[in-house]
């Protein structure tokens, strides 16, 4: 796909873009369904990477409490609570640079087994990973792996210096080659330009396989990080990237991931109209606050959105 094509879609008048995206959405998906997931931060903080947006990087003094890896029982307990709130999928997250070491992988597999017994899907996001370990996770019934490209190749070094864009792409390739459904998207509101967002969309949409999920995170500015003073990104920008992604990757699910807490319900509704069909529910995302569970339940009811189990 040519980048000009992505640019042309991205720059359409907003309502025209939303209408086209909504049309594509209805052709490929049941527009009354969303996937409701919960994040469990199974290992928090003291990450050696320097991602400028992240509360968990050891490079910034963000005041979060580091937490060594949770036990299987603790993870299952959190998953039970999430299920009671209406989540049907759990995403296990770790503040690891990469997923390696037999013990660590075994640990995650045991957690996943415990959660699967509750009848929930399990995804994970454990940093960079090789094909061999992906195969182990796949065999254990893990149904997805998140690894975000975050932004464009050009803007990436402004945000992360401890690993390269090609490192990120290599993990995505490992996931594709091992047959693991992968989830990869980005963050907007970090000071990137429209051209950076167009480039991110172009890169993801040009992979040999589209991700099963494209998360759109609106930066949640975290005190102590280099991006703490970034102004909140406008809702129109969030809607625009969702709509463009929906048109470019019609079969991919799109998550309205971080940042819902800073959006009105009407703004979220517009995102669902434009093709977003996945959200995280729960008191917290990983380290930052999320929308209230009861507000979400009510919003989904009002909008006529049911979980796509
Ligand atoms: N350590 C793993 C990794 O980086 O792949 C997994 C966890 S990491 C926190 C997952 C994703 O959360 C990041 O790729 C980023 O897109 C998103 N994220 C982290 N902090 C964020 C923030 N403050 N605002 C918005 N998105 C954020
Ligand atoms: C994704 O793209 N966003 C989620 C999930 N995948 C792992 C994480 C959002 C984290 C928001 C910041 C925090 O709570 O620390
Ligand atoms: Fe570490 Fe992931 Fe945060 Fe980057 S985004 S600092 S890799 S936990």
């Amino acid at each position: 796909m040519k980048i000009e094509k992505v640019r042309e879609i991205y720059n359409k008048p907003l309502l025209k873009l939303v209408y086209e995206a909504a049309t594509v959405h209805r052709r490929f998906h049941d527009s009354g369904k969303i996937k409701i997931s919960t994040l469990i931060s199974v290992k928090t903080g003291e990450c050696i990477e320097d991602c400028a947006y992240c509360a968990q990087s050891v490079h910034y003094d963000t005041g979060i409490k580091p937490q060594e890896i949770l036990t299987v029982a603790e993870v299952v307990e959190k998953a039970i609570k999430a299920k009671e709130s209406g989540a049907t999928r759990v995403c296990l997250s770790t503040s690891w640079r990469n997923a390696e070491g037999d013990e660590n992988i075994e640990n995650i597999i045991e957690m996943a087994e415990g959660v699967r017994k509750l009848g929930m899907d399990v995804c994970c996001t454990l940093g960079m990973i090789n094909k061999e370990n992906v195969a182990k996770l796949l065999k254990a019934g893990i149904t997805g792996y998140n690894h975000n490209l975050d932004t464009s190749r050009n803007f990436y070094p402004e945000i992360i210096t401890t690993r390269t864009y090609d490192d990120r792409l290599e993990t995505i390739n490992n996931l594709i080659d091992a047959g693991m459904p992968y989830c990869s998207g980005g963050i907007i509101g970090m000071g990137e330009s429209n051209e950076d967002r167009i480039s991110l969309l172009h890169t993801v949409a040009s992979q040999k396989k589209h991700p099963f999920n494209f998360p759109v995170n609106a930066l949640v500015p975290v005190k102590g990080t280099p991006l703490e003073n970034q102004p909140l990104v406008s809702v129109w920008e969030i809607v625009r990237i969702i709509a463009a992604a929906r048109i470019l990757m019609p079969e991919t699910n799109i998550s309205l991931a971080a940042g819902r807490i800073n959006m009105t319900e009407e703004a979220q509704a517009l995102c669902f109209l434009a093709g977003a069909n996945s959200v995280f529910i729960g008191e917290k995302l990983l380290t930052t606050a999320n929308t209230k569970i009861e507000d979400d339940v009510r919003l989904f009811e009002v909008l006529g959105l049911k979980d796509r189990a």
Side-chain angles (χ1 to χ4, degrees):
M1 181 187 305
K2 291 223 165 71
I3 191 147
E4 288 77 22
K5 174 90 190 139
V6 180
R7 196 175 292 124
E8 186 199 311
I9 293 171
Y10 189 89
N11 286 325
K12 284 189 186 204
L14 190 70
L15 290 181
K16 192 165 189 281
L17 179 63
V18 170
Y19 182 77
E20 284 179 23
T23 309
V24 171
H25 187 48
R26 274 144 191 76
R27 219 167 46 229
F28 287 85
H29 302 267
D30 177 345
S31 60
K33 295 261 172 79
I34 55 170
K35 183 78 181 175
I36 304 178
S37 311
T38 281
L39 285 159
I40 300 182
S41 188
V42 305
K43 191 259 165 186
T44 310
E46 292 183 328
C47 181
I48 58 174
E49 301 281 48
D50 68 353
C51 311
Y53 47 76
C54 191
Q56 303 196 62
S57 167
V58 78
H59 301 265
Y60 319 121
D61 190 4
T62 64
I64 65 148
K65 199 168 140 246
Q67 169 69 58
E68 260 317 311
I69 193 142
L70 301 179
T71 64
V72 174
E74 285 169 323
V75 170
V76 171
E77 197 185 312
K78 286 181 189 287
I80 292 172
K81 280 211 185 114
K83 192 179 170 181
E84 284 164 0
S85 313
T88 55
R89 175 169 67 193
V90 163
C91 177
L92 304 173
S93 167
T94 58
S95 51
W96 291 340
R97 174 177 158 81
N98 46 11
E100 56 180 33
D102 291 346
E103 211 178 304
N104 286 335
I105 299 291
E106 267 316 306
N107 218 339
I108 297 290
I109 288 176
E110 271 181 47
M111 291 173 189
E113 279 165 357
V115 177
R116 284 182 65 214
K117 280 196 196 129
L118 305 171
M120 303 175 88
D121 296 332
V122 185
C123 291
C124 53
T125 180
L126 316 172
M128 294 182 274
I129 190 163
N130 62 30
K131 284 184 199 150
E132 209 184 321
N133 284 331
V134 178
K136 286 187 192 161
L137 298 178
L138 199 55
K139 207 165 147 235
I142 287 170
T143 54
Y145 195 102
N146 164 261
H147 201 68
N148 291 337
L149 280 175
D150 280 342
T151 189
S152 68
R153 183 184 282 279
N154 258 342
F155 193 64
Y156 190 90
E158 310 269 326
I159 301 297
I160 303 156
T161 68
T162 47
R163 61 172 141 65
T164 64
Y165 209 62
D166 286 321
D167 289 334
R168 246 13 218 182
L169 284 167
E170 191 181 320
T171 285
I172 289 175
N173 257 311
N174 291 342
L175 293 164
I176 296 175
D177 290 350
M180 173 70 87
Y182 77 102
C183 162
S184 190
I187 310 185
I188 62 170
M190 302 189 294
E192 74 288 343
S193 63
N194 281 344
E195 201 51 35
D196 290 313
R197 295 174 194 159
I198 291 164
S199 169
L200 167 71
L201 284 164
H202 178 247
T203 307
V204 177
S206 308
Q207 295 307 303
K208 53 189 176 193
K209 195 172 187 323
H210 283 172
F212 85 95
N213 195 67
F214 179 84
V216 173
N217 294 280
L219 177 76
V220 180
V222 174
K223 213 166 174 306
T225 64
L227 299 182
E228 66 178 342
N229 293 323
Q230 274 297 315
L232 291 182
V233 68
S234 144
V235 59
W236 309 122
E237 315 276 321
I238 305 176
V239 173
R240 185 176 288 283
I241 192 168
I242 289 173
R246 169 50 65 231
I247 295 169
L248 290 163
M249 297 178 281
E251 292 183 53
T252 296
N253 295 308
I254 300 176
S255 306
L256 180 55
R260 279 199 305 124
I261 193 157
N262 295 319
M263 296 170 78
T264 63
E265 296 194 338
E266 294 84 347
Q268 294 182 53
L270 204 46
C271 293
F272 295 127
L273 185 67
N277 60 348
S278 169
V279 287
F280 293 111
I281 194 173
E283 266 166 50
K284 259 191 186 180
L285 291 167
L286 294 172
T287 65
T288 64
N290 193 16
T291 39
K292 286 210 184 83
I293 296 167
E294 55 275 25
D295 289 351
D296 281 345
V297 170
R298 193 181 34 77
L299 177 63
F300 303 152
E301 171 84 36
V302 168
L303 299 179
L305 294 172
K306 293 216 158 50
D307 178 70
R308 153 172 57 84

